[in-house]
């Protein structure tokens, strides 16, 4: 791994507090959280849409994934970010 658990936690906390004039500033936290917790690639996160999130099953459908299983469960931290 490139970051220790502590470093990753600090990075994700910082990503969640980025100041931006955009109303979509929350996306940075969700983007990095999905990459870190679910092992998604940047391309896979960028292609996610609202319809790919199953709130009842707490999972996401990864479109055009390199792996066979496209549905991935979300941990509580990722689910709250999405």
């Amino acid at each position: 791994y490139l970051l220790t658990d502590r470093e990753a936690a600090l990075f994700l906390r910082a990503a969640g507090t980025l100041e931006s004039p955009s109303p979509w500033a929350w996306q940075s936290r969700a983007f990095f959280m999905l990459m870190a917790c679910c092992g998604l690639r940047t391309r896979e996160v960028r292609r996610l849409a609202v319809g790919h999130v199953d709130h009842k099953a707490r999972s996401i459908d990864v479109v055009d994934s390199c792996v066979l299983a496209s549905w991935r469960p979300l941990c509580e931290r990722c689910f709250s970010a999405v």
Side-chain angles (χ1 to χ4, degrees), residues 10-65:
L10 290 171
F11 176 81
L12 291 172
R13 191 173 308 126
T17 60
L18 286 176
E19 292 187 24
S20 171
S22 169
W24 303 106
W26 60 270
Q27 286 181 333
S28 63
R29 180 169 171 77
F31 186 89
F32 291 116
M33 205 59 138
L34 289 166
M35 287 176 45
C37 295
C38 299
L40 297 183
R41 295 164 180 85
T42 55
R43 175 189 71 196
E44 294 167 338
V45 177
R46 284 193 328 262
R47 291 183 179 170
L48 286 175
V50 173
H52 298 141
V53 179
D54 183 340
H55 290 276
K56 280 189 178 182
R58 290 186 173 231
S59 64
I60 54 173
D61 184 14
V62 182
V63 177
D64 197 25
S65 176

